[in-house]
């Protein structure tokens, strides 16, 4: 039985809109079926997509997302793109997909081809998309808009604050990562972004500058958001829950 007290206060529901749950191995039980958490579990490639679909079936509080991470594109585009696209038509969500000009600019053309394939599926089948956009913030928005994507979460958004109004008017959301504790850019974004566009995420189990990212840090993330915006933690928790609820409603997923 999952011990929720380490993650949430009594009666609270926290949202992790971007977690690599398939990487947790035996520790998955901490989060799977944990009544205080709702998770969107993303994938990186074919194997993790299959594993994540299984987790989605097993864990009632998990929405599984399948995709090919821009860092995995060079391999995946050749070997298993079509298989993952097929899984994407069946999955409830698509991700982690996107574009990355910061860490892997050398594969940008291939990333664009793969990202567009997933957006086509998302658009045709009405799926939500969890998007990686490092260094390619405006490119990603252009593609989402062009493909008429209705539900998109730009994960760990540390892009320019002047794109926030477009993100809002397109009805998209941004993921606030626990890195906010030490990442100045994340704090600037949160100060500038309306609460109506925010979701929390962990990107766990990634290690960011010595921080072990995971759902345990979501409470702390909410505390920092509240402080930066001068509102109560309860208001932030509620706003994020409502944002998540709208996404689920739009996609016809009964989860919250
Ligand atoms: Zn990720």
């Amino acid at each position: 039985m999952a011990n929720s007290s380490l993650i949430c206060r009594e009666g609270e529901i926290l949202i992790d809109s971007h977690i690599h749950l398939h990487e947790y191995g035996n520790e998955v039980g901490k989060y799977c079926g944990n009544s205080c958490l709702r998770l969107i579990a993303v994938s990186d490639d074919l194997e993790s997509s299959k594993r994540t679909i299984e987790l989605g079936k097993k864990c009632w509080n998990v929405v599984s997302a399948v995709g090919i991470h821009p860092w995995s594109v060079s391999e995946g585009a050749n070997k298993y793109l079509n298989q993952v696209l097929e899984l994407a038509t069946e999955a409830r969500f698509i991700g982690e997909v996107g574009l990355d000009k910061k860490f892997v600019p050398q594969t940008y053309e291939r990333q664009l081809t793969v990202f567009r394939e997933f957006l086509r599926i998302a658009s045709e089948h009405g799926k939500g998309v969890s998007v990686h956009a490092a260094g390619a913030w405006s490119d990603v928005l252009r593609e989402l808009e062009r493909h008429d994507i209705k539900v998109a979460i730009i994960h760990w958004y540390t892009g320019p604050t002047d794109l926030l109004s477009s993100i809002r008017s397109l009805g998209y959301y941004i993921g606030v990562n626990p890195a906010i504790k030490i990442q100045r850019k994340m704090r600037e974004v949160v100060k500038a972004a309306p609460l109506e566009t925010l979701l929390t995420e962990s990107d766990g189990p990634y290690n960011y500058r010595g921080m072990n990212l995971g759902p345990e840090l979501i409470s702390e993330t909410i505390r920092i958001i509240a402080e930066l915006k001068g509102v109560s933690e309860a208001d932030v928790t509620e706003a994020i829950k409502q944002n998540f609820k709208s996404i689920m409603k739009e996609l016809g997923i009964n989860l919250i």
Side-chain angles (χ1 to χ4, degrees), residues 18-20 23 42-44 69 71 96 130 132 155-156 177 201-204 206:
H18 186 104
I19 180 169
H20 296 257
E23 288 183 39
V42 298
S43 309
D44 306 296
H69 194 291
W71 297 352
E96 177 168 357
S130 180
H132 175 112
H155 130 72
W156 202 332
N177 191 276
E201 64 161 62
S202 71
D203 204 20
Y206 192 68

Side-chain angles (χ1 to χ4, degrees), residues 1-10 30 34-37:
M1 185 66 194
N3 183 354
S4 58
S5 64
L6 293 172
I7 300 173
C8 319
R9 294 191 188 101
E10 174 112 33
K30 284 198 280 185
N34 188 321
S35 58
C36 79
L37 275 179

Side-chain angles (χ1 to χ4, degrees), residues 37-199:
L37 275 179
R38 303 292 181 275
L39 312 158
I40 298 177
V42 298
S43 309
D44 306 296
D45 54 19
L46 177 60
E47 275 317 303
S48 55
S49 291
K50 287 181 184 165
R51 170 95 182 109
T52 303
I53 287 174
E54 287 310 309
L55 288 167
K57 287 181 190 156
K58 204 173 102 188
C59 317
W60 65 267
N61 60 336
V62 169
V63 174
S64 49
V66 308
I68 302 180
H69 194 291
W71 297 352
S72 307
V73 149
S74 49
E75 191 189 1
N78 300 326
K79 282 201 206 154
Y80 50 70
L81 173 62
N82 288 335
Q83 278 167 276
V84 184
L85 288 171
E86 213 172 292
L87 293 176
T89 60
E90 305 295 327
R92 298 206 282 182
F93 221 89
I94 291 177
E96 177 168 357
V97 295
L99 301 172
D100 188 327
K101 277 179 169 169
K102 188 178 177 196
F103 299 104
V104 285
Q106 68 281 7
T107 61
Y108 187 76
E109 285 309 312
R110 239 184 296 183
Q111 292 174 36
L112 197 56
T113 309
V114 171
F115 186 42
R116 285 176 173 161
E117 290 286 336
F118 281 106
L119 293 184
R120 189 176 50 77
I121 303 268
S123 178
E124 281 171 16
H125 298 265
K127 310 283 183 191
V129 193
S130 180
V131 189
H132 175 112
W137 311 103
S138 50
D139 306 44
V140 153
L141 280 183
R142 179 198 66 215
E143 294 300 320
L144 291 168
E145 189 176 9
R146 253 189 215 169
H147 287 81
D148 197 23
I149 299 299
K150 298 279 183 288
V151 175
I153 305 169
I154 323 282
H155 130 72
W156 202 332
Y157 184 84
T158 49
T161 48
D162 58 12
L163 289 180
L164 290 168
S165 57
S166 315
I167 291 174
R168 172 132 202 230
S169 60
L170 289 163
Y172 300 155
Y173 297 86
I174 61 172
V176 181
N177 191 276
I180 193 166
K181 199 173 175 184
I182 51 174
Q183 192 181 26
R184 198 168 49 100
K185 189 76 206 183
M186 188 79 258
R187 300 169 90 93
E188 281 168 16
V189 163
V190 164
K191 272 192 224 164
L195 267 180
E196 291 74 21
T197 61
L198 302 186
L199 288 168

